[in-house]
Amino acid sequence: MQEGIEQYIMEVVPSSECEAKGVDSFVALGDEGYEHSVAEEVEAPVVLDDGKEGYVDFDLSQYIGGGVVEPTLGMEFTSEDDARNFYNAYAKQTGFSIRVNSYYRSKKDNSIISREFCCSKEGFRRERHAKKDSGEDAKRRRARALTREGCKALMTVRRRDCGRWYVAKLEKNHNHELVTPAMRHFLRSHKQDFGPEKSCSNSFSSPGLSLDAPVDVLTDCSSFGKMEFAVQSNVNYIGRGRLSTFGIDAQSLLGFFKIMQANDPAFYYAIQVDEEERLSSVFWVDTRSRIAYNCFSDVVAFDTTYQVNQYKMPFATFTGVNHHKHSVLFGCALLADETESTFSWLFTTWLEAMSGRQPGLIITDYDPAISRAVQQVFPQSSHRYCKWHIISKMPKELGHVYSVTPRTFQVEFDRCINKSETPDAFESTWQMLLDKYNLRGNNWLQSLCIDRKLWVPVYMRDTFFAGMYAAQRSGSVNSLFDGYVNSGTTLQDFAEQYEKALDERYEKEAKAEFETFYTKPVLKTPLPVEKQGADIYTRNMFTIFQDEVFESLLFAVKLSTEDGGTSTYEVSRFDEEHKTYFVAFNIAEQLASCSCKMFEFEGILCRHVLAVFKATNVFTLPQCYILKRWTRNAKEEVMLDLLPCVELQANSQKGRNLQYNILYQEAIKCAEEGMASDQIFKVALNALREARVKIVGAKRNAMKSMPQN
């Protein structure tokens, strides 16, 4: 980028023509012979420098500080394009986007003699340019996010009589946050500098590393191993490099892991071997996934529906949901089989990689082997079954009924599962279906009925699913590898596709972060609670919350009963008075509960409670209804919540792993912020080195104070 900026700056020594004319050769733009033309209408008049400063003799070296050449008054360029390219390069390094705002033309020859480049957040959106939609259209079409905030940063260049351009007006201060290096390619004026080959990380670009390159398993075992956060185990027993029972070449597999570890030193993997010392199952997880799990371990989905290579080897994934409601990977495995012992090994290994922190809720396929392994390894976790997996098995388990009346049975079964509003309603409808289709002797359906509280929605409204429970595969969360992995995927192709799938997900998260922090949503109401939601939630979660706020205006609230400090309200839409929801609200304690259970299920307050809040003059969300995991600062806040847990486990291996995890995440933040410029890089590097010196000193002092044996 340093070279990219320097190329746009003309030589410091002025030409003889301009030097001879000096300041007397310039005419103020308001003088006779010039007219003012505006490329884009602006609210405030453009005031330009009068040119009295003339040429400023400066030393270019003072502007080359830390990789960013700062624009200054009097700086010269050979052309208008060079000035624009320089300012755009400076903007990219600094963290903002630019646009051409206004210009002046000469009355003599109509040529442009002045051009203003401004921050893209200059000015404000004009209401008269917004298309007025009807109520229904407004509901279907969400307004484009606000990007302008009245920023005053700009650079105006003016043409001298000799044809060169100089900086006549400059404002470098912004009234908004500047974009971090990881997100700058989302800025409009810098998008052309970004391509797929530059996205995120390309793990396969490491010099000297490829899946085709042979890996000496016997002599290079020290390069691999079961990688742990705090303590690395050097045990690496891979069956002497022989082929596994599934035909997977251990050499190629280790080549894949070597590439991963070259790019991620904390990459973790574990291998299971069979009685004949052949590779049978393998698990791996990268650092980003482990950090994500620390933040979003409340709900985890485990899926084994993918198949890899011609042997149809099960590809298992642990996934969750981040604060943007995007799928996030917590680890992967290739399994030898789907037996209880294999699942127990996998769950135990995964739990070790995650510092022993059990998930709050784990969603799995409806499978006895998985269920027994979950009970054994995750005794502290709640366990639920994925409805999508159950429904997908119906053609196989109910072949006769499906072949005779597929559509009729499917509609009635779906209504029974998803439309039953009470447990009694579900059970009566279920029994009716068994009788109607003569299914009482079906063992699979009998088993499902026994476990109905673990998969039927009406029984799980009090269980938090983070939006992962749906009719499709765990709310599309486990579809992270859809389009990348299938039964025809070879091992070598799988490694590449795995990286592509993850890169796409991380890029999607970065885009969501950009939209959350650097744009503002258009509010639909004047209610303070909507403004509060816009300030605290990520953009995707605010979209959900905003819909609830808007819909709450369509509900009538009626006081039903009072019991001590708790009042119960009947809430119904004006056009659906027959459908009533009940909200219990203790105004003194600011606690509310709705019969729809949306907050308990998804973590976002429902329209019914919001309608009661409005009716009782509660204009902002009580703190207890702001779930940290959906907020824009979710990762930072969750890490702070982990500190007490770290202190309690300080002397255990789990505690040390968790400590490493937190320190690693903070180090990554320093690296990301330190990329802003060469100067900031030096500041970050010096700070990290000073911190390391202090840490080493503290360790030495601690060792000296320890009692000698």
Side-chain angles (χ1 to χ4, degrees):
M1 178 56 68
Q2 175 66 48
E3 295 178 357
I5 295 180
E6 286 182 355
Q7 65 179 324
Y8 302 126
I9 305 178
M10 66 170 292
E11 296 179 0
V12 175
V13 182
S15 66
S16 57
E17 179 184 355
C18 286
E19 188 174 29
K21 291 185 177 180
V23 297
D24 293 334
S25 65
F26 301 109
V27 180
L29 292 176
D31 289 351
E32 185 178 359
Y34 296 90
E35 66 175 336
H36 176 203
S37 177
V38 181
E40 181 181 358
E41 196 173 347
V42 292
E43 295 179 354
V46 179
V47 180
L48 299 177
D49 184 82
D50 61 5
K52 291 183 179 179
E53 290 178 307
Y55 176 78
V56 179
D57 188 11
F58 58 86
D59 179 5
L60 184 63
S61 63
Q62 66 179 302
Y63 302 101
I64 307 177
V68 179
V69 180
E70 297 278 346
T72 58
L73 288 173
M75 180 180 287
E76 286 194 342
F77 307 93
T78 56
S79 67
E80 177 194 338
D81 285 343
D82 282 351
R84 183 187 67 246
N85 291 336
F86 161 76
Y87 194 55
N88 194 43
Y90 163 73
K92 183 176 181 180
Q93 277 286 80
T94 308
F96 66 99
S97 181
I98 71 166
R99 71 170 191 272
V100 178
N101 193 37
S102 61
Y103 60 86
Y104 285 84
R105 288 186 181 275
S106 169
K107 283 186 177 181
K108 296 178 180 178
D109 56 9
N110 203 36
S111 63
I112 295 176
I113 59 171
S114 177
R115 178 78 76 177
E116 179 181 288
F117 309 109
C118 67
C119 173
S120 62
K121 288 184 176 287
E122 181 271 343
F124 298 94
R125 182 182 296 179
R126 297 167 184 80
E127 289 298 326
R128 67 176 182 271
H129 288 173
K131 182 179 178 181
K132 301 297 182 182
D133 292 330
S134 65
E136 288 301 317
D137 288 340
K139 288 171 62 177
R140 287 193 297 267
R141 185 188 300 113
R142 191 168 302 278
R144 187 166 50 90
L146 298 173
T147 57
R148 300 198 183 185
E149 301 182 32
C151 183
K152 301 296 185 182
L154 58 82
M155 184 182 83
T156 301
V157 292
R158 210 163 110 194
R159 193 182 70 194
R160 301 183 188 275
D161 286 352
C162 62
R164 302 189 182 189
W165 295 72
Y166 75 102
V167 178
K169 182 182 180 183
L170 182 66
E171 174 57 61
K172 292 190 283 188
N173 294 323
H174 297 261
N175 67 345
H176 54 88
E177 287 187 75
L178 298 176
V179 178
T180 60
M183 300 184 196
R184 288 175 188 169
H185 60 279
F186 295 121
L187 294 169
R188 178 171 294 183
S189 67
H190 310 309
K191 284 184 178 180
Q192 65 272 21
D193 299 330
F194 180 79
E197 70 280 358
K198 302 176 185 178
S199 67
C200 296
S201 63
N202 186 349
S203 297
F204 298 94
S205 61
S206 300
L209 291 176
S210 71
L211 286 177
D212 296 325
V215 181
D216 191 342
V217 180
L218 300 180
T219 61
D220 199 23
C221 283
S222 60
S223 299
F224 312 105
K226 188 175 179 181
M227 188 71 182
E228 299 183 59
F229 262 126
V231 180
Q232 178 170 350
S233 170
N234 292 319
V235 177
N236 181 36
Y237 194 62
I238 26 225
R240 300 186 179 88
R242 285 186 284 173
L243 295 180
S244 76
T245 54
F246 289 90
I248 290 184
D249 188 348
Q251 300 282 356
S252 296
L253 191 61
L254 289 178
F256 168 58
F257 289 151
K258 185 171 184 178
I259 291 172
M260 297 300 292
Q261 282 195 336
N263 290 275
D264 180 4
F267 177 81
Y268 179 110
Y269 75 89
I271 290 174
Q272 184 187 42
V273 296
D274 60 17
E275 299 81 1
E276 299 180 13
E277 300 180 352
R278 295 183 301 182
L279 183 152
S280 59
S281 299
V282 60
F283 163 78
W284 71 94
V285 60
D286 64 10
T287 304
R288 292 183 293 187
S289 296
R290 300 171 81 180
I291 290 175
Y293 179 76
N294 271 341
C295 299
F296 308 109
S297 62
D298 46 3
V299 183
V300 175
F302 176 69
D303 183 26
T304 58
T305 58
Y306 291 105
Q307 304 275 308
V308 177
N309 74 32
Q310 66 269 32
Y311 295 92
K312 298 189 182 301
M313 195 173 192
F315 173 47
T317 59
F318 296 89
T319 54
V321 178
N322 64 15
H323 51 322
H324 299 289
K325 214 172 183 180
H326 292 166
S327 59
V328 56
L329 186 67
F330 295 149
C332 298
L334 291 170
L335 303 179
D337 52 48
E338 297 182 76
T339 61
E340 180 182 346
S341 60
T342 297
F343 287 130
S344 295
W345 170 83
L346 175 59
F347 292 162
T348 301
T349 303
W350 178 75
L351 194 61
E352 180 183 346
M354 299 304 176
S355 305
R357 185 175 185 177
Q358 300 208 4
L361 170 71
I362 183 165
I363 308 169
T364 72
D365 187 7
Y366 187 63
D367 181 273
I370 295 178
S371 298
R372 289 191 294 269
V374 167
Q375 292 174 8
Q376 176 188 343
V377 182
F378 304 125
Q380 301 172 21
S381 304
S382 299
H383 183 205
R384 298 292 184 270
Y385 298 122
C386 177
K387 184 174 62 176
W388 180 90
H389 285 115
I390 292 174
I391 294 176
S392 67
K393 288 182 177 180
M394 284 190 173
K396 175 184 176 182
E397 301 291 344
L398 307 174
H400 175 69
V401 175
Y402 249 71
S403 61
V404 176
T405 56
R407 182 60 182 166
T408 304
F409 177 79
Q410 187 174 353
V411 170
E412 293 188 38
F413 192 85
D414 179 76
R415 186 183 301 120
C416 174
I417 296 173
N418 297 313
K419 304 301 181 182
S420 298
E421 296 189 1
T422 65
D424 289 341
F426 166 78
E427 291 171 14
S428 62
T429 306
W430 180 271
Q431 297 301 324
M432 182 271 294
L433 286 175
L434 294 182
D435 291 334
K436 181 177 179 179
Y437 294 98
N438 194 25
L439 292 170
R440 287 200 172 274
N442 187 287
N443 294 331
W444 185 70
L445 287 179
Q446 289 179 4
S447 178
L448 283 178
C449 187
I450 293 173
D451 294 326
R452 60 190 179 278
K453 294 183 180 179
L454 301 181
W455 68 277
V456 178
V458 72
Y459 294 99
M460 301 189 299
R461 288 177 178 167
D462 288 325
T463 303
F464 179 65
F465 277 83
M468 292 179 68
Y469 186 87
Q472 47 193 323
R473 184 185 304 177
S474 294
S476 292
V477 171
N478 286 3
S479 58
L480 191 149
F481 291 97
D482 280 356
Y484 292 94
V485 175
N486 55 54
S487 59
T489 304
T490 64
L491 179 65
Q492 290 186 335
D493 288 341
F494 167 78
E496 183 176 354
Q497 294 301 315
Y498 168 86
E499 279 294 283
K500 286 183 178 179
L502 287 193
D503 279 350
E504 179 184 305
R505 290 291 167 167
Y506 290 128
E507 182 71 2
K508 185 178 180 181
E509 180 177 347
K511 177 67 173 177
E513 288 281 289
F514 175 82
E515 291 175 349
T516 294
F517 284 96
Y518 303 111
T519 66
K520 293 183 178 180
V522 176
L523 302 183
K524 291 183 176 181
T525 74
L527 298 177
V529 71
E530 185 185 9
K531 175 65 167 62
Q532 180 189 19
D535 292 337
I536 60 177
Y537 288 125
T538 61
R539 183 58 43 79
N540 288 347
M541 296 313 301
F542 172 70
T543 297
I544 298 173
F545 179 71
Q546 185 181 47
D547 288 341
E548 296 302 311
V549 172
F550 186 76
E551 290 293 328
S552 71
L553 301 177
L554 305 178
F555 281 79
V557 177
K558 176 184 176 183
L559 179 62
S560 176
T561 62
E562 288 187 279
D563 182 12
T566 302
S567 301
T568 301
Y569 296 87
E570 296 180 9
V571 184
S572 58
R573 277 180 64 113
F574 294 110
D575 55 351
E576 296 180 357
E577 295 182 3
H578 63 283
K579 191 170 185 178
T580 302
Y581 296 88
F582 296 91
V583 175
F585 181 40
N586 187 313
I587 194 168
E589 298 181 6
Q590 298 282 281
L591 295 176
S593 176
C594 180
S595 58
C596 78
K597 300 294 183 181
M598 178 177 175
F599 180 77
E600 290 82 356
F601 197 71
E602 296 187 34
I604 292 290
L605 211 54
C606 66
R607 59 195 65 180
H608 317 116
V609 172
L610 292 170
V612 171
F613 279 179
K614 181 175 179 294
T616 54
N617 296 326
V618 177
F619 298 116
T620 58
L621 286 177
Q623 198 62 35
C624 60
Y625 293 111
I626 301 174
L627 216 59
K628 289 181 180 179
R629 64 120 52 238
W630 295 136
T631 61
R632 54 175 60 201
N633 296 316
K635 291 184 177 180
E636 288 75 10
E637 293 193 20
V638 171
M639 295 306 289
L640 290 176
D641 291 342
L642 285 176
L643 293 179
C645 179
V646 172
E647 294 173 359
L648 289 175
Q649 303 181 42
N651 296 322
S652 67
Q653 182 62 46
K654 293 179 182 179
R656 288 193 291 274
N657 287 348
L658 201 54
Q659 289 173 342
Y660 185 98
N661 197 347
I662 294 174
L663 291 173
Y664 194 94
Q665 183 165 344
E666 291 300 321
I668 288 176
K669 292 178 184 176
C670 290
E672 290 176 346
E673 296 295 337
M675 292 165 52
S677 68
D678 287 353
Q679 183 61 34
I680 296 175
F681 164 77
K682 293 175 182 177
V683 172
L685 184 61
N686 290 335
L688 288 172
R689 285 175 172 170
E690 290 176 7
R692 184 174 178 274
V693 170
K694 291 181 180 179
I695 293 170
V696 171
K699 284 179 62 178
R700 289 173 179 169
N701 293 335
M703 294 179 66
K704 290 179 181 178
S705 62
M706 293 176 62
Q708 301 293 325
N709 292 330

